[in-house]
Amino acid sequence: MHPLIIEDHIDTYQRDGVVLIKGLFAPWVDALRDGVAENMAKPGPYAAENLHDGEAGRFFDDYCNWDRIASFEAVARQSAAAEVGADLMQSQSCQLFHDHILVKEPGTSKPTPWHQDSPYYFVEGEQTVSFWSALDPVREASLRCVVGSHKWPRAVVPTRWLSETDFYPDEKDFMPVPDPDAEGMRVVEFEMEPGDAVAFHYRTLHGARGNDAKARRRAFSLRLLGDDTRYVARPGKTSPPFPGHDMVPGQKLREDWFPVLFRR
């Protein structure tokens, strides 16, 4: 396995669906900060502002920009993330799904809603991993993950963050969004230094507090895929949508759009 991790990281990830990897992106923090600045100056087609009029602060996110922002592509291809991801997933390969940035400016009280990523995506599999990396010191606005939720038998209903409406037309196949704090679920939340990364499964329920600190909170994410992930059809437009992909259910994701970053 990669020297950044030990066997306990893998065991924890497989059991809990979440584990902290210290320093995963530490050599790349400055490059990623520059990439975030470039992304915010020139947002992509999926960029979103996640606050209503009158709400304080700013909550910006955007994704699928690695092919136009050089630092994002360099991190995906050259950092340790792909090999560490393969180790955590227990996979022989690691494929890029997409990048994602989330920026909460100081005084942004709005939390990131509890959700699982998997229902929004057109992929399914046991071998999935997202890395959520802080680009600023984080004490109280870190990612919060519900331990073991990646093993729940039903997915949580996906909703739109701003309008808080259902993402798909029929929610009968999903369970309601729980309140982990009120329901006494085990939630992990890490203090993080720039370059640390939370690794979590696509089905792990997660969210984040608002940013009431005096410093901004920039986060960079990589969504990665392992050997057993396959394209699945959803009952509506997915996020990200990737229009015109021409894949069929059961197919491995096409490597010209979703490059393989690591093979053993």
Side-chain angles (χ1 to χ4, degrees):
M1 70 190 73
H2 192 278
L4 269 176
I5 64 172
I6 60 174
E7 196 70 40
D8 186 60
H9 287 101
I10 298 172
D11 293 343
T12 299
Y13 185 77
Q14 293 290 323
R15 181 187 68 243
D16 295 347
V18 56
V19 69
L20 178 66
I21 309 296
K22 296 289 291 182
L24 179 64
F25 294 108
W28 298 91
V29 168
D30 288 340
L32 287 171
R33 287 172 174 168
D34 290 343
V36 169
E38 181 181 350
N39 196 161
M40 295 183 75
K42 298 178 181 178
Y46 306 127
E49 299 285 353
N50 295 291
L51 298 180
H52 294 287
D53 292 342
E55 291 184 307
R58 186 184 185 190
F59 181 6
F60 173 90
D61 82 296
D62 198 3
Y63 49 74
C64 299
N65 291 296
W66 67 268
D67 58 350
R68 70 182 186 92
I69 296 180
S71 60
F72 293 175
E73 181 172 12
V75 167
R77 294 187 182 277
Q78 300 173 33
S79 77
E83 184 175 353
V84 170
D87 289 337
L88 295 175
M89 294 186 290
Q90 296 290 268
S91 176
Q92 296 300 305
S93 66
C94 188
Q95 190 173 7
L96 176 62
F97 187 33
H98 70 91
D99 58 279
H100 192 183
I101 69 165
L102 304 103
V103 179
K104 287 185 180 178
E105 299 292 357
T108 305
S109 60
K110 182 172 182 175
T112 304
W114 289 108
H115 66 285
Q116 295 169 312
D117 288 340
S118 179
Y120 294 89
Y121 296 164
F122 58 36
V123 293
E124 283 285 3
E126 293 302 319
Q127 293 170 308
T128 65
V129 65
S130 288
F131 289 112
W132 186 99
S133 181
L135 303 182
D136 304 285
V138 175
R139 298 295 176 266
E140 297 177 350
S142 182
L143 196 70
R144 309 182 73 210
C145 295
V146 176
V147 171
S149 52
H150 66 307
K151 296 181 179 179
W152 288 352
R154 296 178 69 203
V156 170
V157 62
T159 60
R160 294 178 176 85
W161 287 6
L162 193 59
S163 66
E164 299 179 352
T165 56
D166 292 345
F167 197 78
Y168 298 126
D170 191 346
E171 63 176 45
K172 70 178 186 304
D173 294 329
F174 301 97
M175 63 180 283
V177 180
D179 184 339
D181 296 313
E183 297 176 39
M185 297 176 181
R186 184 184 167 204
V187 178
V188 293
E189 184 175 10
F190 306 98
E191 291 190 355
M192 302 175 69
E193 298 300 325
D196 293 348
V198 179
F200 62 98
H201 196 280
Y202 287 5
R203 291 199 299 269
T204 297
L205 188 74
H206 61 285
R209 303 181 193 275
N211 182 19
D212 294 323
K214 295 181 179 179
R216 66 197 319 214
R217 193 221 67 184
R218 292 167 289 184
F220 173 79
S221 288
L222 276 182
R223 321 293 192 193
L224 305 176
L225 309 167
D227 299 332
D228 76 344
T229 51
R230 297 291 187 274
Y231 173 79
V232 295
R234 298 294 188 198
K237 182 180 178 181
T238 59
S239 176
F242 296 110
H245 58 73
D246 296 326
M247 293 182 291
V248 298
Q251 180 180 342
K252 285 279 287 182
L253 267 59
R254 49 186 296 178
E255 294 183 10
D256 55 336
W257 284 31
F258 307 95
V260 174
L261 304 174
F262 173 79
R263 279 194 175 97
R264 298 195 189 282

